[in-house]
Amino acid sequence: MARIVAGVATSHVPAIGAALDLGKTGEPYWQRVFSGYEPSKKWMEETKPDVCIVVYNDHASAFSMDIVPTFALGCAPEFPPADEGWGPRPVPVVKGHPELAAHIAQSVILDEFDLTIVNKMEVDHGLTVPMNLLFGQPKEWPCPVIPLAVNVVLFPPPTGKRCFALGKAIRKAVESYPEDLKVVIFGTGGMSHQISGPRAGLINSKFDKAFLDNLVDNPKKLARMKHVEYMREAGAEGVEMVMWLIMRGALDDEVEETYRFYTVPASNTAVGHIIMENPKKHGGKKKSPAKKTATRLAAE
Ligand code: DHB
Ligand code: FE
């Protein structure tokens, strides 16, 4: 049986992609950001997922304003990088997993979540930047990826509650897939940021840190949060964080926090990142509370 072993949340700031592509990661401004992902890359190398499901949003790259699906599942064999105005990023083509993706589509749609099935799609920084942050800059991505694009750019995005429930349906789908596959699910976007209008540049670290705490221990509280609260507290683009709830819904109610990182700012955005693992049910040792506290403090 396939199983989801962990969830990863991370911001997907486009300038992080530009810093990587232009070889600026060693500059002090960027070093502060990239150093926070070194433990995560190591964790990913050790975890070696067979497949990743990456929940992200398209920024009018693959979908113009002509067609804006609420939830679009990538079922294609591959997803080339999108041209976001400066040519496609020099990153590998993302290979899909059409069999598992079709299985998820069937299970989730028959569970009454009306996904859009996408058989051809380019992927923008929303997906490729988190891939770089967790996998570095390899010639080929080390595992197939199933993209799940969520509309958070045109009002109304789906509610946090719906996203959380979709995560649960995705988990059920994965666990009914017969092949033994280790799956890691990503939630991307956020944290607080607003990139236009009078409040451009807004960052709310207090809100972001509470969001990270609740994501671990009280995700149901976050699932009740309304869009207006995201917008008011975390800025217009902060609403991207509803996507993290899809990832969180796909995990156990109780998770172990493996790692957390938060820094301000990168470009216009607060960068937040967390890795949570499902407790290992068979013989795995639960991490001691002391270790959990230590990771949290280290990330502050
Ligand atoms: C910025 C951040 C984003 O998440 C995004 O999609 C676009 C721009 C920014 O910080 O500039
Ligand atoms: Fe974004």
Side-chain angles (χ1 to χ4, degrees), residues 12 57 59 125 193 240:
H12 64 211
N57 68 291
H59 302 75
H125 70 270
H193 63 305
E240 289 183 340

Side-chain angles (χ1 to χ4, degrees), residues 11-15 57-59 84 124-126 153 189-195 237 240 266-270:
S11 308
H12 64 211
V13 188
N57 68 291
D58 180 73
H59 302 75
E84 299 181 57
D124 73 9
H125 70 270
V153 297
M191 294 192 89
S192 54
H193 63 305
Q194 169 136 354
I195 52 183
E237 280 73 31
E240 289 183 340
S267 185
N268 299 295
T269 303

Side-chain angles (χ1 to χ4, degrees), residues 63-64 67-72 116 118 149-152:
F63 308 119
S64 71
I67 298 178
V68 184
T70 300
F71 297 115
T116 298
V118 183
V150 179
N151 168 38
V152 291

